[in-house]
Amino acid sequence: VSSQDGSPIAMLFSSFFKTLLGKEVTVEMKNDLSIRGTLQSVDQFLNVKLANISVQDPERYPHMMSVKNCFIRGSVVRYIHLPAEHVDKQLLQDSTRMEAGDKA
């Protein structure tokens, strides 16, 4: 998925992530920094705002200990770990089927 172009696939993922607003997620970045926090917003470029954050490796990133909220640019995100119990699998499957059908 190219999150840089606002493509329909990126829009599909941003819509999916919007169903998880207010839930705890962990964002793993390309520089190996992992931040856990409450998902506040996500846009079509998969930029993410988190509140009440904590760093997974505080010894390695002590400067992040005083940060409570952050904005993460979509281009630096490697993975977003989601709580399995909050993922609407049926909605995700239906959306990807519709997207695949549009391309056929």
Side-chain angles (χ1 to χ4, degrees):
V1 175
S2 173
S3 62
Q4 301 310 303
D5 59 6
S7 69
I9 292 175
M11 294 296 290
L12 169 71
F13 280 105
S14 69
S15 296
F16 169 71
F17 282 118
K18 286 180 182 182
T19 67
L20 298 171
L21 293 178
K23 307 294 185 215
E24 288 284 317
V25 299
T26 301
V27 178
E28 182 181 331
M29 291 179 263
K30 293 177 182 176
N31 67 354
D32 294 325
L33 172 61
S34 291
I35 299 176
R36 182 170 183 79
T38 304
L39 185 62
Q40 294 294 299
S41 69
V42 63
D43 66 15
Q44 73 269 20
F45 301 105
L46 302 180
N47 297 317
V48 175
K49 284 185 189 176
L50 297 178
N52 305 315
I53 68 164
S54 62
V55 178
Q56 300 297 325
D57 189 359
E59 294 81 27
R60 189 169 171 195
Y61 302 99
H63 58 284
M64 293 295 293
M65 295 305 296
S66 62
V67 178
K68 297 298 173 209
N69 301 304
C70 69
F71 174 87
I72 303 169
R73 184 180 165 114
S75 64
V76 302
V77 173
R78 182 181 294 149
Y79 300 113
I80 299 180
H81 302 273
L82 309 172
E85 65 272 11
H86 295 298
V87 175
D88 185 343
K89 294 180 184 99
Q90 190 61 48
L91 173 66
L92 188 57
Q93 290 172 350
D94 291 346
S95 297
T96 53
R97 283 190 193 107
M98 287 189 322
E99 178 68 27
D102 288 346
K103 290 185 179 185

